[in-house]
Amino acid sequence: MKLLNLLMWVIQFGFSIIFPTVFFLILAVWLQNRFGLGLWIVAVFGILGILTSISTARSCLRSLRNAAKEAGSDKEPPTAFNDHK
């Protein structure tokens, strides 16, 4: 189950890198076509998308690292009732 949880984090990481940039670029192209704006809007929204992707990737990597730390840590089992140390 821990492996499946880590796999979910990897998929989330890939999604968090790709989605913001693609979303901002699609929005920029729509705005350009809808309101007749220049190519500058695509450049601005592209930069915003890349910055957003970097930000979300950093936070996702931080969470992935914490999840891997929890999954990989070999904690000593708790002391049983009859086995006092």
Side-chain angles (χ1 to χ4, degrees), residues 9-46:
W9 277 108
V10 170
I11 292 170
Q12 176 66 32
F13 176 69
F15 185 72
S16 69
I17 288 176
I18 294 171
F19 181 74
T21 304
V22 171
F23 174 75
F24 275 103
L25 287 175
I26 290 172
L27 181 63
V29 169
W30 180 79
L31 286 172
Q32 185 182 22
N33 292 335
R34 173 84 174 157
F35 298 110
L37 300 172
L39 190 59
W40 63 270
I41 193 77
V42 176
V44 169
F45 274 58

Side-chain angles (χ1 to χ4, degrees), residues 36-64:
L37 300 172
L39 190 59
W40 63 270
I41 193 77
V42 176
V44 169
F45 274 58
I47 291 170
L48 281 175
I50 290 171
L51 292 176
T52 305
S53 291
I54 291 170
S55 174
T56 56
R58 286 183 65 198
S59 64
C60 190
L61 273 176
R62 192 174 303 122
S63 299
L64 178 62

